[in-house]
Amino acid sequence: MPQNETILSLAPIRGITDAAYRRTFARCFGGFDHAVAPFIQLRQGHTLRSGERLQMSVENKRDLRMIPQVLTNNAATFTAGLRELHELGHDEVDWNLGCPYPTVAGRSRGAGLLPHPGRIDAILEQVLDGCPVRLSVKLRLGYRNPDELFSVIEVLNRYPLSEVILHPRTADQMYGGAVDIQRAVHARKLCRHPFVFNGDINTPEEFCELRTRLPGVDRWMIGRGALACPFLPAVLKGARFPEAEKRRRQLREFHDLLMGEYRHWLSGPAHLQDKMKEHWAYLALSFAEPGPVLARIRDSRNLEVYTSAVDWSFEQVLK
Ligand SMILES: Cc1cc2nc3c(=O)[nH]c(=O)nc-3n(C[C@H](O)[C@H](O)[C@H](O)COP(=O)(O)O)c2cc1C
């Protein structure tokens, strides 16, 4: 299924798709053209934290082009953040208008700004005046009302944006329930910017169906589907799905390289193990029976036990 014109981006998944993950993914599997990094919450009157600067350093976009993402509802803070990211070597930044968590959205940030197109308009007008980077926007259908998107798109159409990424759920839906393809089709027709569809692309079959239902869309963002099956993006670009033994070797190599990256980034075995356990929420989905794999990994109390749980897991039947 060669899809040469298809542009694929790795979705930001906070806690998972950090610099170490993106680099290791690009080395082991490929398929993505770029990635949007998990959001940085900009703080009024403050520069980025040192850990954030490290994550955003240009070095960390060598293997896979990375677009930083920011979360803010304050134009001055936004402008300062964009300047800082530009100084770090970035030429494009994404604005998060989709985060659904009440601590964020409840304070009119992320998806919480979607009911307020006037505020979005005022922020963009200030921020894009002399802006040193290109700006994209990642958004949902709405906070509670799935039609909020349409007034927001009218606003976005007035500004020079690099792309608009839509995850067609409301914030209330979080990450469950059906994605609303009909509203996505409508949004794509209204939107004058390059349009990216994001949500529930988990298999080549689902992707084929989406391509039929969203004709003309050539930009796609994939999150959980690629975390659960890291071979997916390359397969969507035309590669063959590797046979089981090759998959097992590649997944093991990915795991070991990722752990090597974190040894470098994180201090101490407890942090290392905790971080790897987070990744197993998705890695386990490569196995026919994820439950026992996950239980064994999560039960491991030290690195030695963890390592033998990993060895045991990679002997289990793959999906
Ligand atoms: C644990 C988790 C963390 C996420 N973090 C971010 C984030 O930092 N920024 C963002 O725009 N979206 C974030 N998302 C949303 C994803 O980028 C994506 O829009 C969503 O998972 C739907 O796409 P998918 O079905 O391909 O995963 C997150 C989703 C999950 C489940």
Side-chain angles (χ1 to χ4, degrees):
M1 187 182 47
Q3 308 287 0
N4 292 334
E5 74 284 10
T6 300
I7 298 171
L8 296 181
S9 61
L10 171 63
I13 305 276
R14 209 166 153 78
I16 301 286
T17 64
D18 57 14
Y21 185 91
R22 295 190 304 267
R23 185 181 2 249
T24 313
F25 193 104
R27 285 186 186 163
C28 293
F29 305 112
F32 281 120
D33 297 281
H34 63 268
V36 174
F39 70 77
I40 295 175
Q41 188 155 331
L42 298 178
R43 297 169 304 146
Q44 201 169 348
H46 293 275
T47 53
L48 301 185
R49 295 181 165 94
S50 60
E52 291 167 340
R53 286 180 73 87
L54 200 59
Q55 282 284 329
M56 290 305 128
S57 75
V58 172
E59 171 130 319
N60 287 325
K61 61 174 195 174
R62 215 171 32 206
D63 300 271
L64 181 62
R65 183 175 163 252
M66 175 268 282
I67 298 169
Q69 185 188 65
V70 295
L71 181 80
T72 180
N73 61 6
N74 178 293
T77 307
F78 200 165
T79 298
L82 294 181
R83 284 212 191 104
E84 201 177 347
L85 288 165
H86 182 240
E87 279 160 18
L88 285 174
H90 295 281
D91 56 10
E92 188 170 358
V93 174
D94 182 73
W95 186 22
N96 181 318
L97 286 183
C99 184
Y101 291 103
T103 48
V104 170
R107 294 184 191 147
S108 302
R109 283 173 296 175
L113 267 179
L114 295 172
H116 309 290
R119 278 191 75 181
I120 295 174
D121 196 2
I123 292 171
L124 285 175
E125 188 175 354
Q126 278 191 62
V127 163
L128 287 172
D129 183 22
C131 180
V133 296
R134 293 184 299 144
L135 192 69
S136 65
V137 171
K138 180 168 180 284
L139 79 174
R140 288 178 174 250
L141 295 177
Y143 188 12
R144 301 215 159 86
N145 173 350
D147 290 321
E148 280 160 13
L149 168 81
F150 301 117
S151 316
V152 173
I153 286 189
E154 275 176 33
V155 170
L156 301 183
N157 280 347
R158 289 184 216 136
Y159 294 94
L161 300 176
S162 55
E163 58 185 27
V164 169
I165 307 160
L166 176 65
H167 176 54
R169 286 191 170 100
T170 59
D172 271 355
Q173 281 181 278
M174 299 293 285
Y175 298 104
V179 283
D180 188 334
I181 306 296
Q182 263 183 337
R183 281 193 174 80
V185 169
H186 190 187
R188 144 132 175 97
K189 282 188 188 139
L190 283 183
C191 182
R192 71 169 186 88
H193 302 294
F195 181 86
V196 185
F197 178 91
N198 163 240
D200 292 11
I201 303 173
N202 296 309
T203 63
E205 294 73 27
E206 279 169 356
F207 185 60
C208 268
E209 194 193 327
L210 278 169
R211 284 172 65 92
T212 315
R213 297 183 67 188
L214 287 152
V217 172
D218 56 5
R219 300 183 189 210
W220 309 86
M221 175 179 267
I222 309 179
R224 293 164 299 172
L227 270 40
C229 175
F231 304 95
L232 181 66
V235 168
L236 299 184
K237 288 282 186 80
R240 280 182 56 185
F241 190 62
E243 44 79 24
E245 278 323 302
K246 190 166 178 205
R247 291 207 309 282
R248 190 186 303 280
R249 277 199 307 278
Q250 272 182 269
L251 285 166
R252 178 73 208 233
E253 189 192 5
F254 173 69
H255 170 275
D256 294 353
L257 284 173
L258 187 62
M259 196 157 159
E261 284 272 345
Y262 284 127
R263 264 185 218 284
H264 175 72
W265 283 83
L266 302 172
S267 57
H271 286 137
L272 176 60
Q273 211 184 325
D274 287 349
K275 181 48 84 179
M276 292 310 295
K277 284 182 182 179
E278 281 182 59
H279 281 285
W280 274 95
Y282 294 99
L283 279 172
L285 300 173
S286 287
F287 296 90
E289 288 193 45
V293 166
L294 205 50
R296 195 133 175 173
I297 296 284
R298 286 192 170 153
D299 281 351
S300 54
R301 293 277 164 260
N302 60 47
L303 265 188
E304 209 181 357
V305 183
Y306 172 80
T307 306
S308 55
V310 170
D311 289 342
W312 177 85
S313 298
F314 278 105
E315 283 162 12
Q316 306 310 299
V317 178
L318 289 183
K319 204 176 248 170

